[in-house]
Amino acid sequence: MSLFLIVALPFLGALLPGLMVQAGRRACSITTGLVTLLALTGLLVNAPAVLSGEVQTARLEWLPGLGMNANFFLDPLGLFFAGLILGIGLLIIIYARFYLSREDSMGEFFTYLLLFQGAMVGIVLSDNILVLLIFWELTSLSSFLLIGYWKHTAEGRQGARMALAVTGMGGLALIGGMLILGNIVGSYDLTEILQNREAIQASPLYLPALILILLGCFTKSAQFPFHFWLPHAMAAPTPVSAYLHSATMVKAGLFLMARLWPVLSGTDAWFYLVGTAGLITMVLGALIAIFKDDLKALLAFSTVSHLGLITMLLGFGTPFAALAAVFHILNHATFKAALFMTAGIVDHEAHTRDIKRLGGLRKLMPVTFVIATVASLSMAGIPLFNGFLSKEMMLEEAVHTTWAGSHWVLPVFVTIGALFSAAYSFRYVAHTFLGPVRDDYPHKPHDPGFGMWAPAAFLCVLVLAIGLMPFLVEPLVFTVAEAVIGGVGEIEEGYHLAIWHGLTPALLMSGIAVVGGLLLLALHRPLDRAWIATPRPEAKAMFDRLMAACVGGARGLTDALHDGALTRYAAIFTVTVVAAGAHAFWTGNLVVADRGGAIPDLVPLVGWALLVVSAAWLALSHRRRLLSLVLVSIVGLVISIGFNYFSAPDLALTQISVEVVTVILLLLALNFLPKTTPVESSVGKRTRDGLIAVVGGLGVGALSYALLVHDFAFETISDFHLENSYKGGGGHNVVNVILVDFRGFDTFGEIIVLGIAALVIYAATEALLSGPVRARLLNWVPDMVRAGDAHPLMMVVATRVMMPVVLMVGFYIFLRGHNEPGGGFIAGLVVAIGVVMQYMASGFAWADRRQRFPYHGIIGAGVLAAGLTGIGAWFAGQPFLTSDFGYARIPPFNEFELATAMAFDLGVFLAVVGAVLLSLESFSRIARRSNEQVSDYAMDIDPSRNEEA
């Protein structure tokens, strides 16, 4: 099966649960399970080739200019993690089917689960680090949805926010580190990066890249000091905890450290940063777990501890430590997922997870007791269980590793960590299942049905099978470890996974840990009282204070800068720009002008004078709104003439069309507004704003003059467009070819934004008309005497005659746009002006009654036409929006050009027409609500009606 399909299946499958839940919970869970099973089957089909040494690849160019391609590869490490993600995911789906209550939305839950599953598979199979980063952030987002699935609980919402904040900030750091790594190598493909160990470690950017990458890994895998978020994520449903915190999300950081191990490990920085963080996390997490009374909180901190153990092993930087890390990842996934499931079973049946309210469940829940005992003994590192094997390997490696020149630091602390681990493992069984049966359980507990305990039992079978017969998984573990090592070193020849390696220091340390764990269990009650009485820093409280300070600071800064006054925004922006420009001017080198100023002709001087006078008059008379609009239109008209003077007819046509449409729409809007603007600022503020405006204007003028008398530092792109306009886009009108071909992405985005703006105007109008504004409009009385014939005969006749002419001109401008001034945007404005004039001549209501096409649909059709044109390029094997052209001849006409850009331009045309008319329609609704007289006639005074009367 293709790697693309393996990655895509969970995402595609996420569409199904919401639909299948309508057929029942059973159908929903079966469909979800089949999606995961199909992806797992596809993975296993590739497994024999991968384990024999082949690397499966799948490559697709996406954004090659950015080095961002959808490349995937499947090696033993990716196979190993993908197998855990999909395999345990399948068991979790079965478990969740019976765990979730009927009040829980199963379709929503499985949708989130499959989204998360797809993101995790994408991480472990990605060959491009930019694509990997996308999947990385998707895990943060989808885990946020899963952790906060129970939205009705404050703990669930807070746990989701905390997980997103911590892992999200780590993700930002990871983006920086990975970009640095790609920059060092010159490629963003992992397969290339993994071949450049020497170049990476010799680079001065190695340490910054390492620190940033480790921040991402540590936050995701809950390493100290970011360990606090994981226990608070336990507010999620237990299937989420069993999945995210045993085999998937928290293992993402471990995966990335293992993946980059060949190029980042082997340095002192790696050893002390990774090894020390892992050691602290291992010991601290285990210590806290001993004193947690919530079953899931105990398991959460135990997970933190075991993640620290694996991180520490990776930090050691030796092949044997990498082997032990891989083995413990497998073992931890099996026994920890089973333990979370048993905790969920107890909570589901007893209605509590509080250990102090439990005990004696061995007789009431014998099946659950057996499963929990097997998994707990494995977690404690007891012989004959798989956890013992990887723990012994960890202890053995610690004995042979020095820290800061000391041979005893690591052995002592890892033994303490193993001792604490044994203690909380023993407590999980003893205080939950052993002891006398109580009569005060919140609910009478009993073993659940087969469907709920079978997944955990299956994992326990694996725990025992691996523990008793480690040779079963030895080829897999060694192959995966060799993929982690990546040829940097070799595993000791002749070493095998085995229960007995003789009387070794590791065996002694293990014995001390087990005995010490039993002793701590016996002394738990007095130790628990001492723990409660001992003051200690709480990471969550510190995080909450930090977040509150950040929010308070951000709110204060926002309130100070964004107070809703446009003048303040403009002033801050202008002062900042002028200050930056002044700094550049005074600290830079003045370059002698390449050419002198030219004496302008009379026509430009007249235009300049009009602009200056209009702008100054506008500033002085801006409180008179109608006069301000007239002055603004003069400025736009002069600019249009200026464009034409400088041989830019396309820009001139666009500018004057926009001016006409804008003036008409603003005139209609002003009809419902006061005719003057009240004075809202003091003389002092106006003087300050005036000075800022003058300084800003002088700065822009000086910059413009500097650009005019100096050559550009770089060659302009104009020559490229002129040379390739016809060859590449099939048109002689360079401006139009730029819009629909060279920068088609920009134009596509702009028409989308234009459509959204029109829809926002429509929605805002609807909201206004449903509120108190509606009453004001109903009682609105015009502040000026209205004409007796608001819809005069002459204007009606003129607009009717003009309409077909306008449509013909618009059609002509549209067709000629690829080779002569024109195009879809200008044609759309011209046609929109013609329709607007019909509204003005005969009234909003009259014209709206004769409107046959919904303006929303016209906008949508335009965007759809432009998008489909771009997609069509894919079928020709070209990137999105690549245009093509050719020539056709239809007798008796001459040969003419056909270009796909015409279809794109049609989309622009429709979007512009729809956006303008939807905005107009919004004003028409305001007019109708303001008691406008709705007439069945096109004009108020019609002589023909008088004759008929």
Side-chain angles (χ1 to χ4, degrees):
M1 183 182 292
S2 167
L3 299 186
F4 289 126
L5 186 56
I6 294 174
V7 174
L9 270 173
F11 291 109
L12 297 175
L15 302 172
L16 300 177
L19 299 174
M20 295 305 298
V21 74
Q22 305 302 319
R25 296 162 62 86
R26 180 184 179 87
C28 179
S29 57
I30 290 176
T31 302
T32 307
L34 287 175
V35 170
T36 302
L37 179 61
L38 185 59
L40 179 61
T41 303
L43 187 74
L44 296 178
V45 168
N46 290 286
V50 172
L51 294 177
S52 65
E54 296 182 21
V55 176
Q56 304 294 317
T57 61
R59 298 184 176 276
L60 175 66
E61 284 195 355
W62 184 12
L63 297 172
L66 298 178
M68 187 175 184
N69 298 313
N71 296 341
F72 299 96
F73 78 115
L74 183 65
D75 69 340
L77 181 61
L79 175 70
F80 176 67
F81 272 92
L84 289 178
I85 294 163
L86 296 172
I88 293 185
L90 184 59
L91 297 177
I92 295 298
I93 291 168
I94 298 172
Y95 177 79
R97 160 64 181 87
F98 299 95
Y99 178 88
L100 295 175
S101 68
R102 295 200 171 274
E103 288 73 28
D104 296 324
S105 174
M106 183 171 285
E108 180 183 354
F109 179 84
F110 282 138
T111 295
Y112 297 159
L113 190 74
L114 287 176
L115 287 174
F116 176 81
Q117 184 181 99
M120 282 298 306
V121 173
I123 287 177
V124 301
L125 298 187
S126 291
D127 186 22
N128 186 279
I129 59 176
L130 300 181
V131 174
L132 185 150
L133 290 170
I134 293 175
F135 286 121
W136 187 278
E137 296 305 323
L138 281 176
T139 61
S140 296
L141 293 174
S142 52
S143 66
F144 169 80
L145 297 173
L146 284 169
I147 295 170
Y149 172 74
W150 279 336
K151 308 174 190 65
H152 59 279
T153 65
E155 295 82 3
R157 297 194 300 270
Q158 184 186 38
R161 290 195 302 269
M162 182 182 294
L164 181 63
V166 175
T167 60
M169 288 187 292
L172 291 176
L174 179 65
I175 291 172
M178 295 295 257
L179 290 177
I180 293 174
L181 203 62
N183 185 61
I184 294 173
V185 176
S187 172
Y188 293 124
D189 286 345
L190 268 171
T191 46
E192 290 291 328
I193 291 173
L194 295 177
Q195 303 299 319
N196 287 272
R197 173 186 174 89
E198 292 77 11
I200 292 172
Q201 296 192 0
S203 171
L205 296 175
Y206 165 74
L207 186 58
L210 176 65
I211 292 173
L212 291 171
I213 290 171
L214 290 180
L215 281 173
C217 295
F218 287 176
T219 51
K220 188 72 83 173
S221 290
Q223 295 301 288
F224 178 85
F226 309 107
H227 60 284
F228 55 87
W229 71 263
L230 193 149
H232 292 281
M234 294 299 112
T238 300
V240 175
S241 303
Y243 194 37
L244 270 65
H245 307 135
S246 66
T248 53
M249 180 178 177
V250 293
K251 296 287 176 62
L254 300 181
F255 165 79
L256 192 56
M257 285 189 283
R259 175 61 81 197
L260 297 177
W261 193 93
V263 295
L264 297 182
S265 67
T267 64
D268 289 342
W270 171 272
F271 175 79
Y272 285 108
L273 287 173
V274 180
T276 304
L279 178 63
I280 295 173
T281 306
M282 173 188 173
V283 177
L284 182 63
L287 174 63
I288 298 174
I290 297 173
F291 301 102
K292 288 296 177 182
D293 294 324
D294 184 293
L295 288 177
K296 286 178 67 176
L298 185 155
L299 294 177
F301 278 104
S302 76
T303 299
V304 169
S305 177
H306 280 270
L307 293 173
L309 184 157
I310 299 168
T311 299
M312 178 187 68
L313 286 170
L314 292 172
F316 285 168
T318 65
F320 186 80
L323 175 68
V326 168
F327 194 23
H328 198 69
I329 289 172
L330 173 63
N331 294 337
H332 178 260
T334 54
F335 66 68
K336 187 56 61 68
L339 283 169
F340 270 116
M341 290 184 198
T342 60
I345 290 172
V346 171
D347 185 24
H348 191 271
E349 302 302 329
H351 292 188
T352 183
R353 299 195 307 258
D354 189 347
I355 293 180
K356 292 183 177 179
R357 302 186 65 185
L358 296 170
L361 297 182
R362 175 176 60 87
K363 296 180 180 179
L364 301 175
M365 306 175 69
V367 175
T368 308
F369 165 67
V370 172
I371 295 171
T373 301
V374 171
S376 295
L377 293 178
S378 179
M379 183 166 65
I382 303 301
L384 304 184
F385 300 94
N386 61 354
F388 167 78
L389 302 174
S390 49
K391 183 196 71 171
E392 291 291 291
M393 295 171 69
M394 178 273 294
L395 295 173
E396 183 68 27
E397 186 63 16
V399 170
H400 297 93
T401 304
T402 60
W403 190 91
S406 173
H407 292 276
W408 61 268
V409 171
L410 283 173
V412 168
F413 278 99
V414 298
T415 303
I416 293 173
L419 187 152
F420 291 160
S421 179
Y424 64 66
S425 301
F426 295 148
R427 184 181 179 228
Y428 182 86
V429 175
H431 289 185
T432 305
F433 295 95
L434 302 183
V437 176
R438 302 172 60 151
D439 56 5
D440 60 345
Y441 299 114
H443 185 267
K444 183 67 172 178
H446 58 81
D447 276 321
F450 175 79
M452 190 177 291
W453 61 256
F458 175 78
L459 291 171
C460 284
V461 171
L462 296 181
V463 166
L464 288 169
I466 297 172
L468 294 171
M469 298 174 287
F471 59 85
L472 295 176
V473 296
E474 181 174 310
L476 172 66
V477 173
F478 272 75
T479 303
V480 174
E482 288 169 358
V484 173
I485 298 166
V488 175
E490 294 183 357
I491 301 171
E492 179 183 347
E493 188 176 353
Y495 183 84
H496 296 282
L497 303 180
I499 301 173
W500 176 255
H501 287 283
L503 297 174
T504 62
L507 185 62
L508 175 62
M509 295 157 67
S510 183
I512 294 173
V514 172
V515 174
L518 290 171
L519 182 61
L520 282 181
L521 177 64
L523 299 174
H524 182 269
R525 183 166 296 178
L527 290 174
D528 188 47
R529 289 196 297 267
W531 175 264
I532 295 172
T534 303
R536 58 191 180 276
E538 286 289 342
K540 179 183 179 298
M542 296 167 64
F543 173 80
D544 289 341
R545 286 195 295 269
L546 175 63
M547 293 301 294
C550 291
V551 170
R555 182 175 289 115
L557 182 63
T558 302
D559 292 343
L561 298 179
H562 298 272
D563 62 347
L566 180 60
T567 51
R568 173 171 291 193
Y569 303 159
I572 293 173
F573 175 79
T574 305
V575 169
T576 303
V577 171
V578 170
H583 172 75
F585 178 80
W586 293 112
T587 59
N589 296 323
L590 292 177
V591 181
V592 179
D594 298 303
R595 52 187 172 272
I599 299 175
D601 298 330
L602 179 61
V603 173
L605 281 175
V606 173
W608 176 79
L610 282 173
L611 281 176
V612 172
V613 172
S614 300
W617 195 357
L618 177 62
L620 295 173
S621 307
H622 70 277
R623 301 195 189 284
R624 298 165 62 186
R625 287 174 167 166
L626 183 58
L627 177 59
S628 298
L629 182 57
V630 173
L631 293 171
V632 167
S633 65
I634 292 174
V635 172
L637 178 61
V638 173
I639 291 175
S640 301
I641 295 172
F643 283 143
N644 194 62
Y645 180 80
F646 288 111
S647 302
D650 272 288
L651 298 182
L653 279 171
T654 303
Q655 179 69 34
I656 199 163
S657 303
V658 169
E659 287 297 325
V660 172
V661 171
T662 304
V663 168
I664 292 174
L665 291 178
L666 288 177
L667 276 172
L668 295 173
L670 286 178
N671 185 44
F672 307 104
L673 295 173
K675 300 303 177 282
T676 58
T677 303
V679 178
E680 296 179 343
S681 55
S682 63
V683 176
K685 287 185 177 180
R686 294 201 297 274
T687 303
R688 178 204 65 188
D689 294 341
L691 290 174
I692 293 174
V694 169
V695 173
L698 291 175
V700 172
L703 178 61
S704 300
Y705 179 77
L707 291 172
L708 289 172
V709 299
H710 291 88
D711 292 331
F712 291 113
F714 304 97
E715 292 185 8
T716 68
I717 200 172
S718 304
D719 293 337
F720 170 82
H721 288 147
L722 290 169
E723 292 174 4
N724 293 277
S725 174
Y726 181 74
K727 292 188 298 182
H732 294 286
N733 182 0
V734 180
V735 174
N736 183 263
V737 173
I738 290 173
L739 291 176
V740 300
D741 191 321
F742 293 132
R743 302 193 65 177
F745 261 120
D746 289 352
T747 306
F748 187 54
E750 286 162 5
I751 63 172
I752 292 174
V753 171
L754 183 65
I756 291 173
L759 292 172
V760 168
I761 293 174
Y762 181 88
T765 304
E766 189 68 29
L768 286 172
L769 295 178
S770 61
V773 174
R774 181 175 182 273
R776 293 179 61 184
L777 283 172
L778 291 173
N779 298 308
W780 178 65
V781 177
D783 54 356
M784 298 177 66
V785 177
R786 296 303 175 99
D789 56 342
H791 310 300
L793 170 65
M794 291 298 294
M795 188 171 184
V796 172
V797 173
T799 55
R800 297 299 185 275
V801 172
M802 184 180 70
M803 189 63 190
V805 177
V806 168
L807 291 176
M808 181 179 66
V809 171
F811 184 64
Y812 173 70
I813 290 175
F814 173 78
L815 290 180
R816 77 196 294 262
H818 211 47
N819 292 291
E820 300 289 342
F825 189 83
I826 300 172
L829 291 172
V830 170
V831 172
I833 291 171
V835 180
V836 168
M837 294 304 295
Q838 307 305 311
Y839 276 79
M840 292 184 66
S842 299
F844 295 120
W846 182 90
D848 194 56
R849 284 178 178 177
R850 287 152 181 81
Q851 191 268 329
R852 296 291 180 265
F853 303 99
Y855 300 134
H856 307 76
I858 295 175
I859 296 173
V863 174
L864 187 62
L868 290 177
T869 303
I871 292 173
W874 289 347
F875 294 97
Q878 298 296 322
F880 181 68
L881 281 177
T882 301
S883 66
D884 196 8
F885 66 95
Y887 292 89
R889 182 183 178 90
I890 302 177
F893 301 106
N894 291 331
E895 187 178 63
F896 59 92
E897 180 186 355
L898 285 176
T900 58
M902 179 183 290
F904 182 83
D905 225 9
L906 176 62
V908 175
F909 170 83
L910 293 173
V912 171
V913 172
V916 173
L917 297 184
L918 184 60
S919 302
L920 179 68
E921 203 272 340
S922 300
F923 293 131
S924 75
R925 286 186 297 148
I926 295 176
R928 290 197 296 273
R929 296 291 177 88
S930 61
N931 288 326
E932 181 194 66
Q933 295 299 318
V934 179
S935 174
D936 292 330
Y937 301 101
M939 60 197 80
D940 295 334
I941 300 175
D942 188 347
S944 65
R945 291 205 305 271
N946 294 334
E947 293 176 1
E948 292 173 1

